[in-house]
Amino acid sequence: MKPKISLITFGVRDLPRMVAFYRDGLGFPTHNYAEGDDMVMFRLEGTWLGLFPREELAKDATVSTEGSGFGGVALAHNAPSKEGVDRAFAEAVAAGATAVKQPQDVFWGGYSGYFADPEGNLWEVAFNPFTDLT
């Protein structure tokens, strides 16, 4: 298998709210999306982000929709500087994200913070002084 992630899909409870957060709040560009569609895809750099109704995604994967708490997954957005982290973090919070951990110097030598989107999906915003992931 090629070592790459093509698409990350969130199973969401409130699709219009989540579209508004990612498209209108964070400025992620949609791809072939029309209001009322039950799937939206955002073209990102190097991968895609999809939103799909939670019940339907669980049904497609043949798993239960039950589940709560930390799911063991966090997406990451890397910025080229600490100031870039602060700007991206503030933009997400202004768009409706919940601040989980304010950006700060961290144990591994970088700088990062965490926010949750309107349905609780975790995002880390980080500056890595050792590897350019931007």
Side-chain angles (χ1 to χ4, degrees):
M1 185 165 92
K2 192 186 286 189
K4 117 181 210 178
I5 296 173
S6 303
L7 173 68
I8 297 164
T9 303
F10 289 146
V12 302
R13 291 179 180 89
D14 186 341
L15 188 62
R17 179 179 183 206
M18 294 294 279
V19 170
F21 174 75
Y22 284 103
R23 180 190 62 199
D24 306 331
L26 296 185
F28 287 12
T30 59
H31 177 75
N32 292 335
Y33 174 71
E35 294 297 325
D37 286 353
D38 65 357
M39 172 69 176
V40 61
M41 291 174 57
F42 300 94
R43 183 188 303 262
L44 308 179
E45 291 184 22
T47 192
W48 293 72
L49 175 65
L51 304 177
F52 192 61
R54 184 179 176 89
E55 296 277 335
E56 295 302 313
L57 186 59
K59 187 169 140 184
D60 185 50
T62 66
V63 298
S64 171
T65 61
E66 299 303 315
S68 63
F70 179 56
V73 175
L75 302 180
H77 171 82
N78 282 76
S81 66
K82 290 181 177 184
E83 297 77 21
V85 169
D86 291 339
R87 280 191 302 275
F89 189 86
E91 180 181 0
V93 170
T98 300
V100 174
K101 177 185 170 189
Q102 292 292 323
Q104 57 194 261
D105 291 320
V106 290
F107 71 93
W108 50 267
Y111 181 80
S112 76
Y114 284 84
F115 68 82
D117 73 15
E119 291 200 1
N121 298 297
L122 279 179
W123 283 79
E124 178 187 27
V125 183
F127 164 62
N128 184 330
F130 310 108
T131 305
D132 184 4
L133 299 172
T134 62

